[in-house]
Amino acid sequence: MNKNFIKLSPDKIKNKFREELPWLSGIAAETSSPEAFVVYLKKFIEKKHTCSSAPSVKDACRQILTLVDYEGETVHELSYGKNIRIDTLASLWSFLNGNILGENPDIFIDMYFLFMQAEGKYFSEPYTSLRSHMRK
């Protein structure tokens, strides 16, 4: 990941989505609710997953489909000691539609790179490479 990317404002991150992933911004703009966004996104990503032969694209699609599967679920968060609802894609829909600008953009940066990988435009380092950098 480009280290300068983390310095971008939420508005600039949203512009990166519009420039590099216009189909995703388009889905967000065309859907009337987060739920409709998730349904449309699932169909789109399932098709992309089926049609692609690139392992990195398939992996990113699987990760997005996992997000779809868990969207709206409630889990017990141990660090907070309470149940929280998973609304990752609903938050992305709100962000792309301009409804979340003041929040910490880290999750949207992660989502940007995940969707770029699903497009075959970004390739993340394998976990084993990342892990070797973490050793002292």
Side-chain angles (χ1 to χ4, degrees), residues 82-93:
K82 62 181 182 180
N83 290 339
I84 60 168
R85 183 178 158 100
I86 299 173
D87 288 323
T88 308
L89 296 173
S91 294
L92 179 63
W93 177 82

Side-chain angles (χ1 to χ4, degrees), residues 28-86:
E30 291 171 13
T31 51
S32 60
S33 68
E35 295 81 14
F37 174 70
V38 171
V39 168
Y40 195 101
L41 183 62
K42 181 179 182 177
K43 290 177 187 174
F44 188 89
I45 295 297
E46 283 175 337
K47 183 175 181 183
K48 182 176 281 300
H49 181 262
T50 303
C51 295
S52 179
S53 61
S56 62
V57 170
K58 285 184 140 340
D59 183 49
C61 289
R62 273 192 300 275
Q63 290 178 46
I64 294 166
L65 291 171
T66 298
L67 288 172
V68 167
D69 289 343
Y70 284 99
E71 186 73 9
E73 295 290 321
T74 301
V75 296
H76 185 74
E77 171 53 61
L78 293 175
S79 63
Y80 292 116
K82 62 181 182 180
N83 290 339
I84 60 168
R85 183 178 158 100
I86 299 173

Side-chain angles (χ1 to χ4, degrees), residues 105-120:
D106 291 352
I107 185 70
F108 305 118
I109 293 170
D110 291 343
M111 297 299 291
Y112 170 81
F113 283 105
L114 179 60
F115 280 98
M116 287 292 285
Q117 184 177 341
E119 281 291 293

Side-chain angles (χ1 to χ4, degrees), residues 125-136:
E125 289 186 57
Y127 174 72
T128 51
S129 298
L130 294 173
R131 206 171 82 199
S132 68
H133 293 301
M134 295 168 59
R135 292 185 188 145
K136 291 184 178 183

